[in-house]
Amino acid sequence: MNYEPSAEEKLRRELDEARLRIAQLEARLEGASSGVVDPLERAPSNPTDSEFAHILLDTLHEAVVACDARGRLILFNRTAREWHGRDAAPLGPDEWAEGYGLFEADGVTPLARDRIPLAMALSGLRVRDAAMSVRAPGQPLRHMEADAAPFHDARGNLLGAVTTLRDVTTRKTLQRALETDRAQLALAMNMAKLVRWERDLATDVYTLNPAFYALYGTTAEQEGGMDMPMDVYLREFVHPDDRDAVLSAIMKGRTEASSGISSADHRIIRRDGEIRHITVRHTTLLDESGRSVKRVGANQDITERKELESSLETRSAQLALAMDMARLVRWEADPASGTLHLNDQFYALYGTTAEREGGYSMSYERYVREFFHPDDIPLFTQAAMAQLNNSDPRAVHTLVHRIIRRDGEMRHIRVRFFTMSDPGPRRVVGANQDITEQRLAEERLMQTTERLQEAQRIAQVGDWDWEPETGQSFWSDQTYHILGLDPVGPTGTYDTVLRLIHPEDRLPYIDTVNRALATGQPYERELRLVRPDGAHVHLLVRGRPILDESGKVERLHGTVQDITARKQAEEALLESRERLRRFTERVEESLRRTRTVLDQILECMPSALIAVDTRGVVTHWNKCAQELSGMSPAEALGAPLAEAFPWLSGQMASVHQAMQTGSPTGQERAHFAREGETRLLDIMVYPYGEGATEGAVLRLDDVTVRAAIENRMVQTEKMLSVGSLAGGMAHEINNPLSGILQSAQIIRRRLAPGTLANTQAAQRAGCSMEAILGYLEERGVLTFLNAIEQSGRRANAIVRNMLGFIRKSPTLKAPAALEDILERALELASTDYDLKRNFDFRRIRIERHYQADMPDVPCAAIEIEQVVLNLLTNAAHALACHDFGDREPAIALRLLRGEGCAVLEVEDNGPGMDEATRKKIFEPFFTTKKPGEGTGLGLSVSYFIITRNHGGSFSVESRPGAGTRFTIALPLADSQASCIAAP
């Protein structure tokens, strides 16, 4: 037969589980308010920070109160106002206790000034976890724990003090309830202690034992031996109020000779003054004549039982109330007829009455149809039938489903039932219980747990629990994350933590833990830890010993917080404070110099900075503004902006708008013309002032070069697209070109004499192969066919070179002949033609001067070909723009061997360039071509390829009207060692 716990036992279990969860939550949240004081030690730097700080403090669940050095309250957050029942008032420290309802922890004794945490902090002390209470008018007494600390300025002068108060009333109540539960638990778990005694009825002397004396808090040595007269026992140990009753019972037993067992209860007073309840059971020994000679008995300490009985009376009342509130409704069912027998409580649960439903009987089919949630009917019916067919007829079954009351409300119920067949026919007896609130509470608890875990993740706080005797540990997921461990891996232990602690902090931490285990006192310690991935972090570890009934440490519970960011901030703050202190000492003597430095900084800014007041009058005018406008600061300061810089007169509307709205405004790429040159300016207007706007600052940035770079980048992207398109076109051209060459080859085979198939076909046509060949020779058809083949092969070579140049290939170096690279580049360049400029590369005379026996050079052939092609193209474009008169445009290519390197020269007889242009020829985006005709990247990329990718050198020689010569030197060895061509 299955055992079903009683309602009282279930209530006890749920109450114990709730208390355990509350205790765990309080332990996890215990350190949440410890970080309030530190942020207040830093005074807000501006009104915005102050407003944010007050809003933040008003969201706290702790009361935060601060005062200045004279005791005037300067901060009284929302929680403080609610708990004290009033706003901050102009009261001095001597009036705080009475004005704000401050009492000692007993809730009766007013708190003296020197016991008020805020006043103690004002005197320079730091207060931690001070116990006190607050009673506001019309509110219940609140038990509080308070922290308080002074705060100072950078020189160490006292600025004031701040205190935080935490409401621990609920925790106090729970602690008292838990203490009662622990006493009851100890009574249920420990065996009763019985102490034996004997009393000689002739002498009225007790014969005792060490266990007896231990019960009474003394020893035989202290009491003069194992024998004790009855009057001494009554006088020394029996409670005065019980002595008469005990003496009366003793005298009654003397006169009534009986060998039966008698019992009585009374109170004793131990030697330490403690009052205990004992029960005395005794019997009388008779001699042969039936005369009473001795009384033997045993005393048992029933103090805990007495307290338990009192507590059980309270619990019984609570249980009765709980059973009534549990809303249990009973029912019976007849499986044979399918009829349910109900009652008024059942109908009340379903929002109806017996009269409305036609009596106290209802068919099971109707009950399911009219009250069950439709989605639960199949599963419930299947589960119920399976359990009813259970082989154990007395098994108690439990199912959960949803119902729909007559008013349409959906509720969750738990159904428990069992079958009965003795005596009488088989029937089902059960009870339904509304568990809707429990379901909602479980969902809220789950949400609360998830929020707690999220709060721990955000605050980087984890909690842990450790039993020293068993070594068992519990860590939250956040604890694993903080320590750099995987929560799904091996369970973390105390030894795991010790291995991760920094060696210099390990022994001090062990000493701290051992001291907490020995003294039972909580601890808090900062330490360094090295995670498994090698990362170093700073941790704040808090531990609180949990004691058993004997006062021995049973386990440690605590939190671990990652304070690495805080430590870094503290170090930075200390460093900042030290710098601020040194700066403050020098501020008076260096104020003028600082002003000068600031002016110099503003003068050195690459942007034009102009400050105006609310009237538009210039108040600051830096050097860049002077260069841009042509007006000196002496002329501009004090003048209206429209007069000092007339070009900005159109910006005055934006200036006034920025000052009115308090938001920056601006304009990009404004055209500014001066001395025949047009520049592009970005204009930004920033309002300034504390509280009300005091003026605006205009910043003008010359973005002409940046705009040009952006335009050139766009052009480069276009060129990349054109290159990709050219590659695709070359690939598409290659297909029909292959067909042309193949067809020409087939025609030549069809005209070949001596081939039987050709001879037979000519004969069928009525002519001979000789006649056909004679005709084709006479008309020049064979010459045209040769031209088709030559042109096709040339076009095929051009396409092949273009595809090889365009395709991306890995920049792997391999020995290559520079002569072949130059020829491929020439072949690609020969296809370059510009109709607009009447430019054709093939009209340029190419001179080749290649030294014999040139060795192969380790290089990326495609990259070198790209460089040479760029030089040839640039030379051809320069020649196309030059008037040669009777001369012929020419490009000379030279290959010669230098010292450890191969030298390549590309020289033209074009217009050349001046020295200023020559110095900038390799700079990115520099070009001598018209806008839109070049990106200015070709030579800079070529320079990078030669010098960086190949470890060579790249130089240029030129004079106006004397042509240009580019010289490239590439090392013969495959290394990055630089080489320079011999002059």
Side-chain angles (χ1 to χ4, degrees):
M1 177 176 175
N2 292 340
Y3 170 74
E4 176 68 11
S6 65
E8 180 179 0
E9 290 175 332
K10 290 183 287 184
L11 180 61
R12 285 176 180 274
R13 294 176 184 174
E14 293 176 355
L15 182 60
D16 291 341
E17 291 174 356
R19 288 170 174 164
L20 178 59
R21 288 196 296 271
I22 292 171
Q24 291 174 344
L25 290 175
E26 288 183 344
R28 294 178 182 177
L29 298 175
E30 189 173 82
S33 62
S34 61
V36 176
V37 174
D38 290 342
L40 289 175
E41 292 184 351
R42 301 190 294 270
S45 59
N46 54 61
T48 303
D49 291 342
S50 176
E51 294 173 359
F52 176 77
H54 280 79
I55 293 173
L56 177 62
L57 291 174
D58 277 345
T59 63
L60 295 178
H61 294 293
E62 293 82 13
V64 182
V65 181
C67 68
D68 60 15
R70 291 180 292 178
R72 295 179 303 178
L73 296 185
I74 58 175
L75 175 63
F76 210 70
N77 74 339
R78 177 184 57 80
T79 304
R81 295 192 295 271
E82 293 177 358
W83 289 355
H84 290 285
R86 61 179 301 171
D87 292 330
L91 303 178
D94 293 332
E95 302 170 298
W96 286 347
E98 180 179 356
Y100 295 106
L102 308 182
F103 295 87
E104 291 286 353
D106 59 7
V108 178
T109 308
L111 207 59
R113 171 176 175 165
D114 59 356
R115 295 274 297 161
I116 299 176
L118 187 61
M120 296 170 69
L122 201 58
S123 65
L125 299 177
R126 294 184 71 90
V127 181
R128 187 74 174 179
D129 298 332
M132 58 179 291
S133 59
V134 173
R135 186 190 300 276
Q139 296 186 19
L141 181 70
R142 298 179 186 269
H143 292 278
M144 300 287 178
E145 283 184 358
D147 297 339
F151 55 92
H152 308 80
D153 62 14
R155 297 186 180 91
N157 298 322
L158 179 66
L159 294 179
V162 62
T163 183
T164 61
L165 290 85
R166 299 178 296 278
D167 189 345
V168 296
T169 305
T170 302
R171 192 177 72 189
K172 291 285 188 181
T173 303
L174 291 174
Q175 286 175 346
R176 287 193 294 268
L178 287 176
E179 290 171 0
T180 301
D181 289 344
R182 286 174 179 171
Q184 295 172 351
L185 181 61
L187 177 63
M189 295 180 62
N190 295 328
M191 296 181 61
K193 297 180 180 179
L194 295 174
V195 294
R196 181 178 174 277
W197 52 268
E198 296 181 2
R199 179 166 59 87
D200 189 328
L201 297 181
T203 61
D204 280 335
V205 174
Y206 285 99
T207 301
L208 309 176
N209 52 62
F212 186 98
Y213 282 122
L215 174 61
Y216 286 75
T218 183
T219 63
E221 290 77 11
Q222 292 178 341
E223 304 301 332
M226 293 296 181
D227 294 333
M228 178 181 294
M230 182 183 68
D231 58 338
V232 174
Y233 170 75
L234 292 174
R235 181 179 67 251
E236 298 292 334
F237 293 103
V238 177
H239 193 284
D241 295 342
D242 295 347
R243 285 175 189 164
D244 292 342
V246 172
L247 181 59
S248 175
I250 291 174
M251 298 308 295
K252 181 179 181 181
R254 186 190 300 272
T255 60
E256 297 177 0
S258 172
S259 59
I261 297 177
S262 303
S263 65
D265 298 343
H266 67 271
R267 291 169 292 174
I268 63 170
I269 301 177
R270 288 162 47 91
R271 282 303 188 194
D272 56 7
E274 181 185 6
I275 298 175
R276 307 289 292 178
H277 291 266
I278 67 170
T279 182
V280 181
R281 290 194 174 123
H282 56 86
T283 186
T284 304
L285 301 181
L286 308 177
D287 59 12
E288 294 80 357
S289 62
R291 185 172 60 90
S292 300
V293 295
K294 183 181 292 187
R295 182 161 292 172
V296 296
N299 292 5
Q300 182 182 17
D301 188 343
I302 61 169
T303 305
E304 287 76 10
R305 192 188 75 188
K306 286 287 188 179
E307 294 175 353
L308 180 60
E309 290 173 351
S310 175
S311 177
L312 285 178
E313 292 178 359
T314 303
R315 293 284 184 237
S316 298
Q318 294 174 346
L319 178 60
L321 178 62
M323 293 181 65
D324 181 62
M325 296 177 64
R327 301 173 66 183
L328 289 169
V329 295
R330 182 179 175 278
W331 53 267
E332 289 188 10
D334 183 357
S337 62
T339 303
L340 295 174
H341 302 286
L342 311 175
N343 50 54
D344 291 331
Q345 290 78 14
F346 187 97
Y347 283 124
L349 173 60
Y350 287 75
T352 184
T353 63
E355 291 75 16
R356 180 177 177 182
E357 304 301 332
Y360 291 100
S361 296
M362 179 183 296
S363 68
Y364 176 77
E365 180 183 356
R366 177 190 170 192
Y367 167 67
V368 171
R369 183 180 66 253
E370 296 188 7
F371 293 102
F372 264 60
H373 192 286
D375 295 342
D376 293 352
I377 293 175
L379 291 177
F380 180 87
T381 303
Q382 180 180 359
M385 295 305 298
Q387 295 195 23
L388 285 174
N389 294 329
N390 193 317
S391 60
D392 184 1
R394 298 292 294 176
V396 178
H397 311 288
T398 302
L399 296 173
V400 175
H401 68 90
R402 292 169 292 177
I403 64 168
I404 299 178
R405 289 163 45 93
R406 284 302 189 194
D407 56 8
E409 180 186 6
M410 185 185 72
R411 306 290 290 179
H412 293 266
I413 67 168
R414 178 187 292 117
V415 182
R416 286 181 176 154
F417 61 92
F418 62 92
T419 59
M420 298 180 62
S421 57
D422 185 22
R426 183 171 180 262
R427 64 187 187 279
V428 180
V429 178
N432 292 6
Q433 182 181 18
D434 188 342
I435 60 170
T436 306
E437 285 72 17
Q438 178 181 339
R439 280 296 183 93
L440 295 176
E442 290 172 353
E443 294 175 359
R444 289 193 295 268
L445 179 60
M446 183 177 299
Q447 294 173 356
T448 302
T449 302
E450 292 175 352
R451 287 196 295 268
L452 175 60
Q453 293 175 350
E454 181 66 13
Q456 286 188 345
R457 186 190 65 80
I458 295 174
Q460 298 189 30
V461 176
D463 66 293
W464 53 266
D465 203 281
W466 174 51
E467 295 181 2
E469 288 190 3
T470 64
Q472 293 182 349
S473 300
F474 163 79
W475 293 0
S476 66
D477 288 349
Q478 189 60 27
T479 299
Y480 282 97
H481 291 309
I482 291 174
L483 300 183
L485 300 174
D486 188 356
V488 301
T491 303
T493 64
Y494 179 60
D495 291 337
T496 304
V497 177
L498 294 182
R499 286 194 297 269
L500 296 177
I501 294 176
H502 192 281
E504 297 178 2
D505 295 346
R506 187 173 298 140
L507 289 179
Y509 180 71
I510 293 174
D511 293 340
T512 299
V513 173
N514 291 339
R515 188 163 51 252
L517 294 176
T519 63
Q521 296 299 316
Y523 67 89
E524 177 178 312
R525 188 175 187 88
E526 294 182 3
L527 53 85
R528 293 165 294 174
L529 183 134
V530 182
R531 288 174 172 167
D533 60 2
H536 288 67
V537 294
H538 290 267
L539 303 181
L540 175 61
V541 181
R542 293 187 177 96
R544 183 165 61 92
I546 307 299
L547 309 181
D548 59 15
E549 291 80 358
S550 63
K552 181 182 177 182
V553 176
E554 182 179 40
R555 58 190 176 92
L556 284 178
H557 180 81
T559 60
V560 57
Q561 181 178 11
D562 186 346
I563 59 171
T564 305
R566 193 189 80 185
K567 295 295 289 186
Q568 294 173 348
E570 289 175 354
E571 293 173 359
L573 178 61
L574 290 175
E575 183 180 352
S576 300
R577 286 179 175 175
E578 180 60 23
R579 289 199 303 267
L580 180 61
R581 184 188 65 80
R582 293 195 300 267
F583 174 77
T584 304
E585 293 175 352
R586 301 191 307 268
V587 66
E588 293 297 332
E589 62 187 41
S590 64
L591 182 60
R592 181 185 57 81
R593 185 169 64 253
T594 302
R595 177 66 180 177
T596 303
V597 170
L598 290 176
D599 290 341
Q600 291 175 350
I601 292 174
L602 293 177
E603 291 299 312
C604 295
M605 290 287 291
S607 304
L609 297 178
I610 303 172
V612 298
D613 60 16
T614 54
R615 299 171 299 164
V617 175
V618 177
T619 59
H620 183 82
W621 190 271
N622 74 342
K623 182 179 179 181
C624 191
Q626 177 182 353
E627 295 174 351
L628 195 62
S629 65
M631 181 170 287
S632 67
E635 297 173 318
L637 293 176
L641 179 61
E643 297 179 7
F645 203 156
W647 182 77
L648 289 175
S649 59
Q651 299 294 326
M652 291 306 299
S654 298
V655 173
H656 291 302
Q657 177 185 354
M659 289 190 291
Q660 291 174 358
T661 62
S663 301
T665 61
Q667 178 182 354
E668 295 183 352
R669 310 292 170 87
H671 291 265
F672 173 66
R674 183 168 177 263
E675 297 179 356
E677 182 181 11
T678 300
R679 311 292 293 176
L680 298 178
L681 302 180
D682 280 354
I683 306 173
M684 286 298 299
V685 183
Y686 301 95
Y688 69 88
E690 297 185 2
T693 302
E694 299 177 7
V697 175
L698 289 83
R699 191 187 77 195
L700 287 73
D701 294 304
D702 190 340
V703 295
T704 306
V705 175
R706 186 176 72 191
I709 292 174
E710 292 175 355
N711 292 334
R712 289 171 183 172
M713 292 299 293
V714 172
Q715 186 65 22
T716 301
E717 292 294 330
K718 292 180 180 179
M719 293 302 295
L720 291 175
S721 300
V722 170
S724 177
L725 179 61
M729 293 176 62
H731 182 74
E732 294 299 327
I733 291 173
N734 198 35
N735 292 332
L737 189 59
S738 299
I740 292 173
L741 290 174
Q742 185 178 6
S743 298
Q745 292 173 359
I746 293 173
I747 292 173
R748 188 172 294 280
R749 285 196 297 270
R750 298 290 172 87
L751 295 176
T755 303
L756 178 61
N758 293 345
T759 302
Q760 292 176 350
Q763 292 175 354
R764 286 194 299 271
C767 58
S768 64
M769 287 298 300
E770 289 78 6
I772 294 174
L773 291 174
Y775 169 78
L776 295 176
E777 185 70 30
E778 180 69 22
R779 297 296 296 166
V781 173
L782 295 179
T783 302
F784 294 147
L785 183 60
N786 291 335
I788 289 174
E789 289 183 329
Q790 293 176 1
S791 298
R793 283 194 293 271
R794 175 175 173 80
N796 182 265
I798 292 172
V799 170
R800 186 170 58 255
N801 289 339
M802 182 176 295
L803 288 175
F805 181 76
I806 292 174
R807 286 171 180 157
K808 293 183 178 180
S809 61
T811 58
L812 299 178
K813 294 182 181 179
L818 292 181
E819 182 177 348
D820 295 340
I821 294 175
L822 291 178
E823 292 304 318
R824 286 198 300 272
L826 281 170
E827 190 171 357
L828 283 174
S830 65
T831 63
D832 195 4
Y833 176 75
D834 192 334
L835 181 64
K836 293 182 179 179
R837 296 189 296 178
N838 194 24
F839 159 68
D840 189 350
F841 189 88
R842 290 172 293 183
R843 296 181 181 180
I844 301 173
R845 176 169 49 86
I846 304 299
E847 300 177 2
R848 296 173 174 84
H849 306 282
Y850 300 158
Q851 180 177 326
D853 300 328
M854 282 292 294
D856 289 349
V857 178
C859 63
I862 294 299
E863 292 185 352
I864 301 301
E865 183 179 336
Q866 175 184 349
V867 172
V868 175
L869 179 62
N870 181 261
L871 294 177
L872 292 173
T873 304
N874 287 345
H877 288 180
L879 294 174
C881 299
H882 185 61
D883 184 8
F884 287 91
D886 296 335
R887 294 186 301 138
E888 181 182 8
I891 297 176
L893 300 177
R894 300 183 184 88
L895 280 178
L896 61 152
R897 182 168 182 168
E899 184 178 351
C901 62
V903 180
L904 185 156
E905 293 182 353
V906 179
E907 183 177 3
D908 65 66
N909 61 348
M913 65 185 81
D914 56 26
E915 183 63 16
T917 302
R918 189 191 69 80
K919 289 182 177 179
K920 297 192 293 183
I921 198 66
F922 293 119
E923 294 181 3
F925 306 111
F926 177 77
T927 181
T928 59
K929 300 175 184 176
K930 296 180 181 179
E933 294 185 1
T935 64
L937 291 173
L939 284 176
S940 65
V941 172
S942 298
Y943 187 85
F944 179 86
I945 291 173
I946 297 300
T947 59
R948 295 291 296 275
N949 289 3
H950 291 80
S953 63
F954 200 174
S955 60
V956 59
E957 301 175 40
S958 181
R959 292 198 315 271
T964 302
R965 180 172 64 192
F966 287 91
T967 303
I968 297 172
L970 297 173
L972 292 176
D974 188 7
S975 67
Q976 291 296 322
S978 299
C979 69
I980 301 175

